[in-house]
Amino acid sequence: MNGAELVAALGLELKYEPVPADQVVAGAPQTGYATVDASDAGEIGVWEMTVGAMRDTEVSEVFVVLAGSATVEFVDPPHPPLQLVPGSVVKLDAGMQTVWTVHEPLRKIFIER
């Protein structure tokens, strides 16, 4: 982004790819994302996952859920599960092992550091 620029994050068209088979826990989830801005300080973008469940290893990020619902379970380190709904703000540390179960397509805006 340069100067003043508006991004309509809810309507942003994303290119989807199937989740790699070794990460799929249930269903046939797909993910898509678009970078909004990137610099040496990190990346800002929009990410979406379709209904299903997948394993992931997290990066250091803060995100805000824009639409959908999901449960994030923590495998390592153990932590109570998170119930994500629009308006949820979450901070994740790099290296956390998680399982994302998406109940309604989940769209978030993220800031990676």
Side-chain angles (χ1 to χ4, degrees), residues 49-107:
M49 181 176 158
T50 62
V51 173
M54 68 176 272
R55 290 179 195 80
D56 199 16
T57 301
E58 302 302 328
V59 297
S60 180
E61 74 172 300
V62 173
F63 66 84
V64 178
V65 175
L66 301 174
S69 67
T71 303
V72 178
E73 297 174 273
F74 295 85
V75 178
D76 186 33
H79 187 280
L82 302 177
Q83 301 300 320
L84 304 180
V85 296
S88 297
V89 179
V90 178
K91 177 189 169 291
L92 297 174
D93 293 329
M96 294 178 119
Q97 301 293 312
T98 57
V99 174
W100 291 68
T101 302
V102 173
H103 313 292
E104 298 174 52
L106 186 81
R107 183 170 283 220

Side-chain angles (χ1 to χ4, degrees), residues 5-65:
E5 188 176 328
L6 175 68
V7 175
L10 281 173
L12 191 61
E13 193 169 323
L14 306 177
K15 180 181 175 187
Y16 295 88
E17 296 183 0
V19 169
D22 63 336
Q23 288 181 259
V24 173
V25 173
Q30 295 187 3
T31 60
Y33 82 96
T35 299
V36 174
D37 190 46
S39 70
D40 291 341
E43 180 180 4
I44 299 170
V46 176
W47 180 88
E48 185 166 289
M49 181 176 158
T50 62
V51 173
M54 68 176 272
R55 290 179 195 80
D56 199 16
T57 301
E58 302 302 328
V59 297
S60 180
E61 74 172 300
V62 173
F63 66 84
V64 178
V65 175

